[in-house]
Amino acid sequence: MDKIIMDEATMSRSLARISHEIIEHNADVDTIYLVGIKRRGVPIAKVIAENIEKFSDIKVELGELDITFYRDDLSEKYVEPHLNDSVINFDVNDKIVILVDDVLYTGRTVRAAMDAVMSLGRPLAIQFAVMIDRGHRELPISANYVGKNIPTSREEFISVRVSEIDGVNEVAIMAKA
């Protein structure tokens, strides 16, 4: 059974806070380079981009990153991998790139995303924004910007739902089936 832990209004406030934190942390830049990790990181990155442009005079470049072929568990999860093309129409060299995802769990997804970005060039820095940090890291990775920390057990699952994909904006916690 789903337990809703963030509704649309709470998600909106968290994303506004993350946007303000990104502006404050990167106040000396002219352009912020956001890269949403497919799938749900992309619509979250779009909301953050809209907020940043609304709250500041900073320009935002937005990209989409498919990490399928950068995952270290590719052979375990995919018999035949599916590639959902990345769209990054800017040069990452000497830029501060902010990766955006829905849930930080083991750290393996963001590690794969960093590898993918590094394959495109050499950014000045990579930062990470995530809607939910649920703990249980397997790699020494942490987020620069977190919507909400939700400690979980490994028997639980966090579902971040976004209207573009799921028809609703909310975060739910549930027991693994």
Side-chain angles (χ1 to χ4, degrees):
M1 181 162 141
D2 293 6
K3 177 183 175 192
I4 305 302
I5 51 179
M6 291 180 84
D7 60 13
E8 184 166 5
T10 307
M11 281 181 71
S12 180
R13 281 192 304 274
S14 290
L15 292 172
R17 183 178 40 76
I18 288 171
S19 304
H20 281 293
E21 289 174 2
I22 289 171
I23 292 166
E24 290 169 13
H25 206 224
N26 297 284
D28 59 342
V29 299
D30 296 327
T31 304
I32 290 176
Y33 299 86
L34 291 176
V35 177
I37 300 172
K38 288 193 173 184
R39 288 197 38 197
R40 287 171 180 78
V42 172
I44 293 169
K46 287 178 183 175
V47 171
I48 293 171
E50 291 167 2
N51 286 343
I52 290 171
E53 289 181 349
K54 183 169 54 172
F55 301 152
S56 74
D57 292 327
I58 300 172
K59 180 182 171 200
V60 178
E61 291 284 344
L62 191 58
E64 301 178 6
L65 186 63
D66 174 20
I67 60 155
T68 303
F69 289 120
Y70 291 90
R71 293 191 63 93
D72 61 3
D73 60 353
L74 184 64
S75 61
E76 296 172 20
K77 288 185 109 173
Y78 305 101
V79 175
E80 189 172 318
H82 301 284
L83 183 61
N84 304 318
D85 297 332
S86 295
V87 180
I88 298 179
N89 297 323
F90 52 84
D91 180 11
V92 301
N93 287 300
D94 299 318
K95 307 293 191 310
I96 296 173
V97 175
I98 304 171
L99 296 170
V100 180
D101 204 8
D102 58 347
V103 178
L104 174 55
Y105 181 36
T106 63
R108 293 185 180 279
T109 297
V110 73
R111 188 222 32 99
M114 288 188 289
D115 288 348
V117 168
M118 295 297 285
S119 75
L120 300 172
R122 191 174 193 298
L124 181 64
I126 297 176
Q127 298 174 11
F128 182 43
V130 67
M131 189 73 223
I132 303 295
D133 182 344
R134 64 171 289 191
H136 303 287
R137 222 68 81 239
E138 294 174 3
L139 301 171
I141 289 176
S142 63
N144 303 85
Y145 315 100
V146 177
K148 187 171 180 82
N149 287 293
I150 301 176
T152 62
S153 76
R154 291 191 184 270
E155 286 71 48
E156 293 173 312
F157 179 78
I158 297 284
S159 177
V160 175
R161 300 174 185 141
V162 293
S163 60
E164 294 85 344
I165 297 170
D166 308 296
V168 65
N169 290 318
E170 65 185 14
V171 178
I173 188 168
M174 61 196 81
K176 283 188 179 177

